[in-house]
Amino acid sequence: MTGLGIMGGIFDPIHNGHLAAAEAAREHFQLDRIIFVPAGNPPHRLAMPAAGAEDRYLLTALAVAGNPYFAVSRVELDRPGPSYAYDTVSHFQQLYKPERLYFITGMDAVLDVETWYRVNDLMSICRFVAVTRPGYETDDLARRVSADHLSGIDVIATPGIDISSTTIRERLRSGRSVRYLVPDIAAAYISKEGLYAG
Ligand code: ATP
Ligand code: MG
């Protein structure tokens, strides 16, 4: 494999902002594959996702099924303990030994990178791709991220899609439409299983 991207997230649920961010990275870096990796259930109850891990995984699988470059992995679901990006990226690095390896995030996530588990080691095995996201400033990167780590981050400017899983959950809770915000097939599964309902 030449170019591999890893897109981690809670995906509670996956939405078109995630998909557009991954597609922007794929096109920009001419990646052969992007693997979406839904996080397992964190051990801390306060941080519990609204939907179970299996439902978040299934929604992600349904959402990426139509894109020949996209795939989904159970690796964080099946690994006990907290889900660390470092463990996940090194897993795929060893599995595929790609020539180029990228960890794809939105601008909000990359701004917190100094707090991440083994961030030095993570940055030594992959490059970071920070996709612009409405409400988060690229200018803040230099203020929040060390110079060493900044050199490992590529910023991709996109039109910006102002969708979050939080707003999707709020809409579903109050019975509002999520059409065109999440893929139709994911919306159908959410509705069938009654996920995120009041
Ligand atoms: P929540 O509102 O629950 O935090 P979220 O929409 O931020 O959900 P996450 O699962 O937390 O989704 O995000 C996974 C990854 O996708 C993160 O790196 C995040 O920055 C990125 N991301 C999510 N939404 C967007 C978006 N609209 N544009 C760009 N990147 C995004
Ligand atoms: Mg988030």
Side-chain angles (χ1 to χ4, degrees), residues 7-12 15 17-18 21 104-109 131-134 161-167 169:
M7 175 99 191
I10 313 287
F11 302 129
D12 190 26
H15 54 70
H18 297 126
I104 302 160
T105 73
M107 186 58 72
D108 58 310
V131 180
T132 54
R133 182 172 188 181
I161 299 205
D162 196 3
I163 306 176
S164 69
S165 298
T166 302
T167 59
R169 291 193 301 272

Side-chain angles (χ1 to χ4, degrees), residues 166-197:
T166 302
T167 59
I168 300 291
R169 291 193 301 272
E170 285 168 0
R171 282 178 161 270
L172 290 164
R173 216 171 12 243
S174 49
R176 297 178 66 193
S177 169
V178 295
R179 189 169 242 183
Y180 309 124
L181 302 178
V182 306
D184 287 347
I185 185 83
Y189 183 85
I190 287 170
S191 157
K192 183 177 84 154
E193 296 297 326
L195 301 177
Y196 306 109

Side-chain angles (χ1 to χ4, degrees), residues 62 104 139:
L62 289 170
I104 302 160
D139 291 351

Side-chain angles (χ1 to χ4, degrees), residues 28-49:
H28 188 89
F29 293 106
Q30 302 194 318
L31 303 180
D32 304 295
R33 188 184 301 171
I34 293 180
I35 304 176
F36 287 68
V37 188
N41 279 329
H44 202 279
R45 230 194 120 65
L46 283 176
M48 272 297 257

